[in-house]
Amino acid sequence: MLSYFLTGGFFVLNISRKHWYILFLLTGFMLFFGNHNIFITDNVESNYALTAKEMLLSGDWISPQIYGQYWFDKPILFYTFTAISYFFFGFTEFASRFFPAIFGLASVALIGWGGKKLYSEKVGFYSAVVLATSFEFLLISKMVITDSLLFFFFSLALLSFLLGYEKKTSKYYYGFYIGSALAVLTKGPIGILLPGLILTVFLLIRRDLKVLKEIKLVMGVLLFSIIALPWYIAMIILHGNNFIDVFLGTHNFLRATVSEHPKDNVFYYYTLVSLLAIFPWAGFIPGIIKKVFVNKLKNYKISPKTLFLSLWAGCIFIFFQLMATKYLSYTYPLMFPVAILLGKYFADEFEKINCIKPIVWNSLFYMIVAMGSFWAYKQELLRIESFYYLAGSVIVLLLGNIWIALANNRKNGIMLIALSAFLFNLVLINNVCVPLSQNRSAKNIAYEIQNIPENKNLYVYGDYPTSAVFYSGKRIVKLVPEKELADFKPEGFNWNSKNVMPYGDLESIMQKKDLLVLVNSRDFTKFKNVEIEENWQIAIESNKWLVLEKLSGSFESS
């Protein structure tokens, strides 16, 4: 199979079933490779994993819970899929990452099918290759977050509308309503509001509002309502204004208007994110802009399909750029239309594309990754073996890039970019994803505290390790200084409503006996400086986490 790649056989002018089989086999292998070794990390993945775990254990498949408290962060669908995976595979990393990988693979199938329906099988295939080898696709399809599911449903909705519009076939429009409904059950109102905005802008520019009479609006709204609304109605009946205030207020409206992470609220944030997301294909974007957009706009020949795909990507980018809270994954849905535009560009301009500049930029990126891995090794974030693997793979890729650049072989240039990305992703999984997940997880200390007797009170000082709760099943109470309690309590219309973990007054709790306190090593010095009379010893130490036990003597190590 590798020789098939190296001879350029993967990128041919005629696509056969064999090419699709190879693509799906390699993509599936990449998406599941190493998943059992990637720890559940804090503080995002662990929230989703613990909520799904409590859903299965409690038997409550309607109201999400975390730490035994109702949790209105996201709708029900992702938790449900993850809980089903836990039922079959246990509370493991593989189970946690199973459905993100499945929906990642499904998205590759969807874009392949969509590209074929919109243009040709060649466009569909190239689009699928671009998506499957893109950097953000790998990350999202391996993370325990909602975005892999949202990407599929969001793309299904807009692709269905475009197919219905282009082919004048009303049956495709039902896919828009189904996809939007499932997106709403995955992420919330954004699942219908943003697709609705995109198609509205498209129809206004096209001056084609009459198509609203053809999109099965009445039946579609009914279908959407049957799928999406029952859970929301049930939650309002069960939890009333509390659900409305927290879910719609804090986790939707507040997220859009008040930055949760102010340091990320910069104008260039999503520009950098998008360029990194589409790697290793970002170097071809200028060519698309010139060949597909500029020339056609000059001649007024831009097609409805190109216009819609461009608006699809552009509206997502602008919409989230205007939102106060910014996350790396928010603009992920624009990858679908961008991948199709790239696939169309490769199919049309295959014999003319100059791969030199993209290969040069990719080579620079690979070298930056190698240097970054050395820095991470010095910071004790990666093992020395990981640095050697990354540096070695970069050297091999650079030699291949030099060979392609000197030969100026366009077909092999495209092939090399795809193959390089696939192989480099495999190296990243074991040598970056796995060790970094271990540094961002409390799994090791969680297994240590499992043996602590139930009558021992367990607390945490500093950052709250939800992953420790997930892995150990223990109740861990967060220590909050008395002067900070008022600002910490989950009350009112602010980000404090996310503080649903058990917590207590630090000064009062320190008066109790038989205390065990979980502390990250970076907070150890700060904890020792807290103005309390009691002294402690290190009872357990594992992977940068300490369990401190109260003593009557001086602070010492066991």
Side-chain angles (χ1 to χ4, degrees), residues 103-386:
F103 277 92
L105 191 60
S107 295
V108 173
L110 180 66
I111 200 171
W113 175 79
K116 179 180 178 180
K117 287 288 184 179
L118 287 171
Y119 297 104
S120 66
E121 185 168 22
K122 186 163 55 175
V123 173
F125 182 77
Y126 292 165
S127 302
V129 170
V130 169
L131 179 63
T133 54
S134 295
F135 184 63
E136 191 172 25
F137 170 79
L138 171 74
L139 295 182
I140 297 297
S141 298
K142 283 186 168 292
M143 294 181 70
V144 189
I145 55 177
T146 60
D147 294 272
S148 183
L149 277 69
L150 176 68
F151 182 82
F152 178 82
F153 297 134
F154 194 97
S155 302
L156 172 64
L158 288 171
L159 176 63
S160 298
F161 174 83
L162 180 56
L163 286 172
Y165 185 86
E166 277 291 310
K167 296 185 175 297
K168 311 298 182 185
T169 306
S170 59
K171 66 179 182 180
Y172 286 113
Y173 290 123
Y174 289 117
F176 171 79
Y177 298 108
I178 294 172
S180 296
L182 293 172
V184 167
L185 285 175
T186 302
K187 199 80 169 185
I190 196 70
I192 183 62
L193 294 179
L194 191 49
L197 172 65
I198 292 168
L199 67 88
T200 300
V201 172
F202 171 73
L203 294 178
L204 288 173
I205 292 176
R206 292 278 300 167
R207 298 180 182 179
D208 197 11
L209 293 177
K210 65 180 182 294
V211 79
L212 295 175
K213 299 179 181 179
E214 305 168 5
I215 63 173
K216 304 290 184 180
L217 196 58
V218 175
M219 289 299 298
V221 170
L222 179 61
L223 179 61
F224 173 89
S225 301
I226 290 173
I227 297 172
L229 294 187
W231 178 78
Y232 284 91
I233 293 172
M235 290 296 287
I236 292 172
I237 293 173
L238 290 171
H239 305 286
N241 289 334
N242 189 31
F243 170 73
I244 296 173
D245 292 342
V246 175
F247 177 77
L248 293 178
T250 299
H251 294 291
N252 284 272
F253 181 78
L254 187 66
R255 199 180 296 273
T257 56
V258 178
S259 180
E260 187 176 2
H261 310 288
K263 63 181 177 63
D264 295 332
N265 197 17
V266 291
F267 73 93
Y268 54 83
Y269 182 84
Y270 283 125
T271 300
L272 296 179
V273 167
S274 299
L275 290 175
L276 182 61
I278 199 67
F279 179 85
W281 307 103
F284 293 100
I285 298 298
I288 290 182
I289 294 174
K290 181 180 178 181
K291 297 284 186 180
V292 179
F293 298 121
V294 175
N295 293 342
K296 291 188 176 183
L297 282 173
K298 285 181 179 179
N299 299 316
Y300 302 99
K301 292 181 179 179
I302 188 167
S303 69
K305 289 180 286 190
T306 301
L307 176 63
F308 187 85
L309 292 170
S310 304
L311 289 172
W312 182 344
C315 286
I316 291 172
F317 183 89
I318 295 172
F319 180 87
F320 287 110
Q321 184 62 46
L322 295 175
M323 283 186 63
T325 299
K326 291 177 171 57
Y327 277 112
L328 290 171
S329 61
Y330 277 180
T331 53
Y332 180 49
L334 67 77
M335 287 283 294
F336 197 93
V338 170
I340 293 181
L341 290 171
L342 279 166
K344 180 69 165 60
Y345 177 60
F346 292 151
D348 292 347
E349 307 289 334
F350 191 79
E351 299 296 337
K352 304 176 184 178
I353 293 174
N354 187 342
C355 297
I356 302 298
K357 289 183 179 179
I359 286 178
V360 170
W361 285 113
N362 291 349
S363 299
L364 289 174
F365 176 81
Y366 288 134
M367 287 189 289
I368 291 171
V369 170
M371 291 185 289
S373 67
F374 181 73
W375 174 86
Y377 160 67
K378 287 296 185 180
Q379 299 297 315
E380 299 183 353
L381 298 175
L382 298 180
R383 303 181 303 272
I384 186 64
E385 295 85 358
S386 296

Side-chain angles (χ1 to χ4, degrees), residues 456-461 475-479 504 509-510 512-519:
K456 287 274 190 178
N457 298 313
L458 188 59
Y459 300 89
V460 63
Y461 179 84
R475 183 177 185 270
I476 304 175
V477 179
K478 181 176 176 63
L479 297 173
I509 291 174
M510 287 303 167
K512 297 181 179 180
K513 298 180 179 179
D514 296 325
L515 283 180
L516 292 172
V517 178
L518 189 62
V519 181

Side-chain angles (χ1 to χ4, degrees), residues 371-387 390 428-441 520-522 543-544:
M371 291 185 289
S373 67
F374 181 73
W375 174 86
Y377 160 67
K378 287 296 185 180
Q379 299 297 315
E380 299 183 353
L381 298 175
L382 298 180
R383 303 181 303 272
I384 186 64
E385 295 85 358
S386 296
F387 167 69
L390 286 165
L428 286 178
I429 291 167
N430 266 347
N431 296 284
V432 176
C433 296
V434 171
L436 288 185
S437 74
Q438 293 171 353
N439 277 283
R440 293 182 58 86
S441 177
N520 193 289
S521 58
R522 65 175 177 270
N543 193 32
K544 298 185 179 181

